Amino acid sequence: MTKSEKLSALKTMNLACCECALRSGCKGVVFGEGNIESPVMFVGEGPGQTEDELGKPFVGRAGELLNKMLKEAGFLRQDVYVTNIVKCRPPGNRTPVQAEMETCLPWLRKQFSILKPRYMVLMGLAATHGILDKDIRMNQCRGKWFQRGDIMMMPVYHPAAVLRNPAWRETCIADFRLVKQVCEDAAGGAEEPQEKRG
Ligand code: URA
């Protein structure tokens, strides 16, 4: 099977998932989309209302801002892969709880093992807590690389948080630029970024 066939088989299974209570409160599962050859995967929190209606990640207001910030950092939205830590919209857009993230994580892990991106951008605290470290604070980790197995991860502000705090926009774009830079360096054969602690 090709990568694309494996991913679409996984998507079919994911769309039928009823593993947690979130599925009964939303319209559908939002699997993720984008360039399956991208070295970088952007992971958000969970679908909002517009995403739930359209079945696509980051297509509402936060998504529009994400696209703009990606562009300013030199990425095109269609060149990267975008998904969420939970695939179903939490009621009223509340933050997913730890148990919901843990139940949904196997889908992200499977997406990840098919797509094999080199870098993962964790947008916001939910993705950061669910994937990297459940006790870390955003101001400790934002804009830094963390190595987990073969993958380098960088937590960044969530675009919805940037909508609420426009002063964070330039910081978020600067973090995206760091990611863009390592993608370009890696494509040119340069060394990988090193994890910075502290
Ligand atoms: N916020 C998220 O975390 N994900 C989306 O898909 C949309 C908004």
Side-chain angles (χ1 to χ4, degrees):
M1 267 212 262
T2 64
K3 200 175 189 180
S4 152
E5 286 165 346
K6 284 185 199 163
L7 196 70
S8 71
L10 181 68
K11 180 172 178 178
T12 304
M13 287 190 282
N14 190 190
L15 296 190
C17 177
C18 301
E19 284 287 311
C20 80
L22 290 183
R23 181 64 190 87
S24 57
C26 70
K27 200 169 159 215
V29 176
V30 179
F31 180 68
E33 65 171 17
N35 179 355
I36 65 171
E37 301 301 338
S38 176
V40 53
M41 179 187 266
F42 286 76
V43 183
E45 180 174 311
Q49 187 178 4
T50 315
E51 289 76 18
D52 186 40
E53 274 159 17
L54 301 180
K56 292 166 184 272
F58 283 95
V59 286
R61 280 184 68 226
E64 277 171 25
L65 179 59
L66 173 65
N67 295 352
K68 285 184 192 153
M69 294 193 295
L70 285 173
K71 199 165 175 202
E72 286 197 44
F75 282 113
L76 288 178
R77 164 74 185 252
Q78 62 266 32
D79 290 342
V80 300
Y81 193 84
V82 181
T83 188
N84 285 301
I85 186 161
V86 299
K87 313 295 193 202
C88 290
R89 181 190 180 202
N93 294 347
R94 66 159 169 75
T95 305
V97 299
Q98 193 72 23
E100 291 160 347
M101 294 197 281
E102 279 166 20
T103 306
C104 209
L105 256 179
W107 294 111
L108 182 66
R109 289 208 186 95
K110 285 179 197 140
Q111 270 173 314
F112 182 77
S113 68
I114 294 168
L115 296 173
K116 296 189 174 43
R118 289 287 299 119
Y119 312 104
M120 197 181 253
V121 178
L122 306 173
M123 296 187 284
L125 265 186
T128 302
H129 285 168
I131 296 168
L132 185 65
D133 178 341
K134 70 178 177 39
D135 296 317
I136 208 159
R137 294 202 313 269
M138 193 44 88
N139 62 5
Q140 283 176 282
C141 61
R142 200 230 78 246
K144 294 180 184 156
W145 288 111
F146 294 82
Q147 183 153 15
R148 292 291 181 272
D150 281 346
I151 177 148
M152 300 300 294
M153 303 184 174
M154 181 185 284
V156 300
Y157 289 135
H158 192 288
V162 180
L163 279 175
R164 292 190 297 271
N165 302 278
W168 292 355
R169 184 188 164 111
E170 288 311 313
T171 306
C172 193
I173 294 169
D175 292 343
F176 285 179
R177 285 202 181 105
L178 294 174
V179 180
K180 177 69 180 163
Q181 189 63 50
V182 298
C183 292
E184 281 175 3
D185 290 351
E191 274 189 24
E192 292 291 327
Q194 297 295 306
E195 173 169 305
K196 289 198 189 87
R197 292 174 188 276

